[in-house]
Amino acid sequence: MSRENSGLAGKRILVTGAGRGLGRNYALHLAKAGADVAVTDINLHSYRDFQPEADDMKNDTVVGDIQDLGRAALGYEVDATDQDGMADVMESIRSEWGGIDVLVNNVGGGSYSAGADTLPSTLPISDLRENMERNFVTTVLACQLAIPLMEQGSSIINVGSQAGEAAVEPMFSAYGSAKAAVAHYSRFLANELGPRGIRVNVVAPGYIATGRLSTVFAEMGEERIHKNVALGRIGTPAECASVIEFLAGGASRYVTGQILVVDGGALNFATSRP
Ligand SMILES: NC(=O)c1ccc[n+]([C@@H]2O[C@H](COP(=O)([O-])OP(=O)(O)OC[C@H]3O[C@@H](n4cnc5c(N)ncnc54)[C@H](O)[C@@H]3O)[C@@H](O)[C@H]2O)c1
């Protein structure tokens, strides 16, 4: 698909959790495809936590990097679990741009502290709540707030995970359950919004080398991960971004309610054990 016919030129896109990592990559990729991009993050300087992410920055925040591509950009520092804060973001986008064509609900991630109890039978309920809030509640909240700004032809892309599709790796039990909730909510939402011409899909990444996850993969053992992936390697943020572009644009206009797993064929994931 050439950049010209992706159908994203002039589209107004909101990407949450875009201070670094996959979200930042999605924002830049969509801007290169011609979209204007608004971003949120609890800390727009979150890239500073990981040197490879910091090395990748051209400006102080991703907002400047989008503008360098010749596209309009809006940036909001807000906690995605904060209902009033997120409502203010939507109101600002409405007054600046008049609406939203594509919402990419990227905010999320698991928390893995060494020695923490992650077994589903005993994991602390506080950890479960935290994972549900950061991954699932944020997704529902942003959808509910953005939908009134959307018209026929709009697209919502929620972000799941391979950990939401297969019940392995005990460290993912709370996080994976939250991502499974994201996937199933998205099916319900696709059903509701289909008659209005608004599509809802999920991108479920596998092992993707962002700054944060690269350190986790090193602890897990990259060789073991490579054996779990049919293509024999960890994926790149760009390889997820091109799938986001597909689901955002007209090439996927008859695709809704789908979970698109971007994992290099992690065929053994379902049977692997640490
Ligand atoms: N990288 C992978 O291999 C992988 C695999 C499966 C799923 N995912 C999913 O992709 C998404 C991005 O992952 P990543 O690896 O880029 O993570 P990341 O931690 O590098 O980036 C997440 C961003 O979200 C922000 N954020 C976190 N909590 C927030 C909150 N409450 N409000 C606002 N912003 C908040 C962080 O500051 C950070 O900038 C997540 O939903 C993650 O679960 C990633």
Side-chain angles (χ1 to χ4, degrees):
M1 182 168 50
S2 77
R3 311 324 300 281
E4 291 72 32
N5 67 16
S6 67
L8 294 179
K11 295 291 183 195
R12 303 156 299 178
I13 299 184
L14 170 60
V15 184
T16 67
R20 70 170 185 230
L22 286 169
R24 177 172 172 273
N25 274 270
Y26 298 159
L28 296 178
H29 186 97
L30 295 166
K32 280 180 198 151
D36 295 330
V37 185
V39 296
T40 71
D41 205 288
I42 196 167
N43 172 13
L44 286 170
H45 298 97
S46 63
Y47 62 84
R48 290 178 180 158
D49 294 345
F50 300 101
Q51 195 56 46
E53 300 270 1
D55 292 344
D56 214 24
M57 296 296 297
K58 295 184 178 52
N59 294 277
D60 186 47
T61 72
V62 64
V63 174
D65 289 3
I66 295 166
Q67 288 165 339
D68 277 359
L69 294 167
R71 303 309 316 172
L74 299 169
Y76 303 94
E77 212 155 72
V78 60
D79 185 336
T81 65
D82 174 359
Q83 191 158 355
D84 292 340
M86 286 300 291
D88 289 347
V89 167
M90 301 300 173
E91 189 42 47
S92 170
I93 296 173
R94 186 205 295 273
S95 83
E96 294 284 337
W97 290 350
I100 293 175
D101 300 303
V102 179
L103 168 65
V104 184
N105 256 322
N106 167 77
V107 81
S111 41
Y112 321 101
S113 41
D117 181 0
T118 56
L119 289 176
S121 60
T122 49
L123 76 93
I125 294 301
S126 56
D127 287 0
L128 179 68
R129 282 192 211 280
E130 192 191 309
N131 275 279
M132 291 299 281
E133 277 282 325
R134 186 168 51 247
N135 291 281
F136 179 51
V137 176
T138 57
T139 297
V140 176
L141 179 59
C143 286
Q144 291 189 346
L145 291 169
I147 288 163
L149 277 68
M150 296 183 141
E151 293 179 345
Q152 177 155 9
S154 296
S155 171
I156 295 173
I157 304 163
N158 293 328
V159 171
S161 169
Q162 70 176 353
E165 304 298 305
V168 291
E169 308 267 20
M171 68 190 281
F172 294 136
S173 65
Y175 168 71
S177 299
K179 289 301 198 183
V182 168
H184 208 49
Y185 169 77
S186 301
R187 295 185 184 100
F188 277 108
L189 191 62
N191 217 15
E192 178 191 341
L193 299 183
R196 290 166 55 182
I198 300 174
R199 300 181 297 112
V200 185
N201 292 288
V202 171
V203 166
Y207 302 103
I208 309 297
T210 55
R212 179 178 64 90
L213 265 290
S214 292
T215 59
V216 175
F217 297 155
E219 283 163 21
M220 290 169 73
E222 291 189 8
E223 281 310 307
R224 176 165 79 83
I225 293 174
H226 294 168
K227 284 188 196 131
N228 286 352
V229 179
L231 293 178
R233 62 175 175 82
I234 288 166
T236 66
E239 288 168 331
C240 282
S242 57
V243 177
I244 295 277
E245 178 182 356
F246 166 67
L247 289 175
S252 61
R253 65 185 171 276
Y254 198 56
V255 179
T256 195
Q258 299 305 305
I259 319 300
L260 224 164
V261 184
V262 185
D263 67 352
L267 303 174
N268 298 324
F269 186 72
T271 54
S272 68
R273 290 290 181 272

